[in-house]
Amino acid sequence: MTGINRRQLGMGLGAAALGAALGGRGAGAQNLPATAPGAAGGAADALAFPADFLWGCATAAYQIEGGVKEDGRGETNWDVFSHTPGKTTDGGTGDIACGSYHRYEEDIALLKALGAKAYRFSVAWSRIFPEGRGKPNQKGLDYYNRLIDGLLAAGIQPHMTLFHWDLPTSLKGGWQSRDTAYAFADYAGYMAGKVSDRVKHIMTVNELRCFTDLSYMTGGKAPGLKLPMDQVNQIRHHGVLAHGLGVQAIRAGARADTEVGIADNATIFVPAIETSEHIEATKKAMREENAMFLTAIMEGHYLDSYLTAQGANAPKVKAGDMKAIGSALDFVSLNIYTPNFVRAADTPTGYEILPHLANSPRMASPWLYVGPEALYWGVRTVSELWQPKKIYISENGCSADDPVAKDGKVYDADRVMYLRNYLTHLQRAAREGYPVEGYFLWSLMDNFEWEDGYTKLFGIHHVDFKTLKRTPKLSADWYRELIRTNRLV
Ligand code: GBH
């Protein structure tokens, strides 16, 4: 735990009492600020989050905006993919989605009613540069300026992601082309220059694995290709390179107080048993299994084990690439949904990843295995391996069945169960002093769930996709109470 940037927890329990109450072991409990037992609310405050914890909700442009042909927006890979028969469930597209291109003020009002302190949204690259590069489109920029100004007027911090998978189709070859990384950097620098007077948190890309492997290797996402591994590794390289060049361009284009990070879905590992040998195996798995993505970014090089395993298929790297990829970040944001359980094992790697089984608990999406410990171990392993200054959870949430009751409300007690349990483990990470600064619930509202169309819903607000009316679910009521009390409820 050395090197962890500890923060004031603002709790009224002495270290010893806290340790006893929570079973907190060594590492965290020993170094807590010594405060008189019983002060400031007593034992109940053991459930508190840090005083300035940033509660928010997340969305992404193509999943909510609609208005795909308006005000000069250029075509994207997802427009093409979702309109290709058979690619999305029931032929769902983002043509209308939640209509947020016109209803963003309603979205801001939902956030305000929750008491949210921050909103994570993404910018549609093709609204800003319809051709991916070249001439900017002022009307596209105007939309995000209205959104940003509306958020600030409501007292909500804008956290902006520059690329959440909607890639302009004018960029020939997509992520197969190294030029796309340069185009991204130009776009990133341009946006930073335009909004950094008001936006203080910018994320480059969302989920490297999704717009590389799942788009070009397994093909479930746009553009839906199944390429051989040498090409996949090159695409992965272009992804991390875009991030790195993007960081450099943002720093060059933004005001000095702009914080730059990434929203990645590193594969998260959880020790099957919390003992030192399994914890070590878990950290090893975290570093090795994310070698082509987060590990490369945090360490500025590819692990020998990854390069050796890929052999002739390893990516071709140009001079200066790794330095850009390893550009220092102000924060790391993690999208965390599922755990992967690990045990120490007598294998060449020293660990074994235990498979999810047919009856392992999961939510409505088949991939969404439940494991609330993923939030604690995600924060802890990233923190211990790479000591980032700050960590955010940029996404966490779940799909659920969400039937609408007679009174028009969705009583999603299962989503509340999911969120309450995950946040219990995030609170443990904060309590033990890991530098987790905030949490963005996915999602503010039901929206276009990529290849699943509108058949998997993640919102804490129900959206009637005929009328676009938003209605708070039970989980929104619960989240409002959590934010209000800033402690586990
Ligand atoms: C996030 O991805 C996205 O950022 C967000 O846009 C999305 O709406 C949200 O989560 C909910 O899905 O069976 O191998 O195809 C989540 C991470 C990882 C989830 C890949 C779907 C598909 C697994 N995704 N996973 S596979």
Side-chain angles (χ1 to χ4, degrees), residues 63 164-165 206-207 210 214 265 335 337 367 395 442 449-450 458:
Q63 295 181 270
H164 198 126
W165 310 350
N206 180 73
E207 298 195 345
C210 288
L214 300 185
N265 65 329
N335 294 356
Y337 292 86
W367 55 268
E395 286 182 28
W442 185 275
E449 176 59 11
W450 307 110
F458 281 76

Side-chain angles (χ1 to χ4, degrees), residues 6-54:
R6 292 184 180 289
R7 39 190 299 152
Q8 184 68 33
L9 294 178
M11 293 190 288
L13 269 185
L18 182 73
L22 297 161
R25 50 192 65 63
Q30 279 161 10
N31 294 316
L32 287 170
T35 315
D45 282 345
L47 300 177
F49 282 86
D52 52 355
F53 200 75
L54 198 74

Side-chain angles (χ1 to χ4, degrees), residues 270-272 277-278 281-282 341-347 350-354:
V270 172
E277 60 163 340
H278 296 300
T282 297
F341 296 102
V342 166
R343 69 177 186 95
D346 194 9
T347 60
Y351 60 84
E352 185 195 0
I353 301 167
L354 302 172

